[in-house]
Amino acid sequence: MIGLYSPGTSLIHRAPTLLKLFLLSLCVVLIGTSPDVWVVGGAAVGVTLLFLAARVPVRAAAAQIAPIVLVLLIAVPIQGLLSGWMIAALMAGRLIVAVALAALFTMTTTVTAVLEAFQKLLRPFRRFIDADRVGLLVALTIRCIPLVSDIVREVLEARTARGTRGSLLSIAVPVVVRSLYAADALGEALIARGLDD
């Protein structure tokens, strides 16, 4: 979700995060279980209208949906030959609509709002779960994705600079070692802030 949020003032941007998350889940379940092509087609039209209402950049929206389209270029012909073209079309439509809805949620909701929503969801269970710690855990997980991505990029750049080419192990070992160092530093920072149990 980092870097994918598209600022705006539309009704979709301003809608409560928990409501958006509930509607996203409900729509994905309904689309995923519906055997009717017209329902999926109507959902596709509805998602397009939602994107227009949210006024998110077309290029950014297309970038979110493009990877699943590339996968479907391989999956649909295989599914069509094995199970029939109607089932293949239904599968493709379901996946595209689900990914588009998830992309819309991501592009209209900040990471902070998602974390706060997680904490609100877990507050009724505070006797068993510390909602603030779970929120912190989710925040750290989201933060670590670009951190590990940067580590992998740096390792690959170092290999290229040395002109070496090796096995997957020669990439994995430095990535794991550097990730452990970063995790250790993060742990020390958390201990310094009183989160030492």
Side-chain angles (χ1 to χ4, degrees):
M1 292 183 67
I2 294 172
L4 299 179
Y5 176 69
S6 177
T9 57
S10 70
L11 183 63
I12 298 169
H13 281 85
R14 290 181 281 120
T17 304
L18 285 175
L19 177 63
K20 287 195 276 190
L21 199 54
F22 171 74
L23 292 175
L24 168 66
S25 305
L26 183 65
C27 288
V28 169
V29 168
L30 290 174
I31 293 161
T33 56
S34 174
D36 192 351
V37 177
W38 292 104
V39 171
V40 177
V45 172
V47 171
T48 305
L49 293 174
L50 287 173
F51 268 101
L52 293 172
R55 296 189 205 100
V56 294
V58 176
R59 186 174 289 175
Q64 296 303 304
I65 300 167
I68 195 67
V69 173
L70 294 174
V71 171
L72 289 174
L73 287 175
I74 299 167
V76 168
I78 294 170
Q79 185 78 18
L81 291 171
L82 295 176
S83 303
W85 294 104
M86 185 59 77
I87 292 173
L90 193 60
M91 180 218 33
R94 285 173 175 165
L95 282 172
I96 289 171
V97 170
V99 169
L101 281 169
L104 182 65
F105 175 80
T106 302
M107 297 180 77
T108 58
T109 314
T110 63
V111 174
T112 305
V114 173
L115 296 177
E116 288 172 359
F118 268 109
Q119 289 174 319
K120 281 182 187 174
L121 276 173
L122 294 171
R123 286 232 168 84
F125 308 102
R126 62 177 163 254
R127 177 184 255 178
F128 312 105
I129 300 169
D130 187 342
D132 294 329
R133 284 186 182 242
V134 172
L136 176 64
L137 177 65
V138 174
L140 289 174
T141 303
I142 292 171
R143 172 65 191 100
C144 285
I145 293 167
L147 181 67
V148 173
S149 177
D150 286 343
I151 290 171
V152 171
R153 182 180 47 77
E154 288 168 9
V155 167
L156 290 173
E157 285 176 358
R159 286 181 73 226
T160 304
R162 286 193 297 270
T164 58
R165 288 187 181 174
S167 65
L168 186 61
L169 194 63
S170 66
I171 299 170
V173 170
V175 168
V176 169
V177 169
R178 292 187 64 184
S179 298
L180 290 173
Y181 277 125
D184 201 36
L186 186 60
E188 288 175 3
L190 291 171
I191 289 168
R193 286 160 179 79
L195 295 165
D196 59 346
D197 60 342

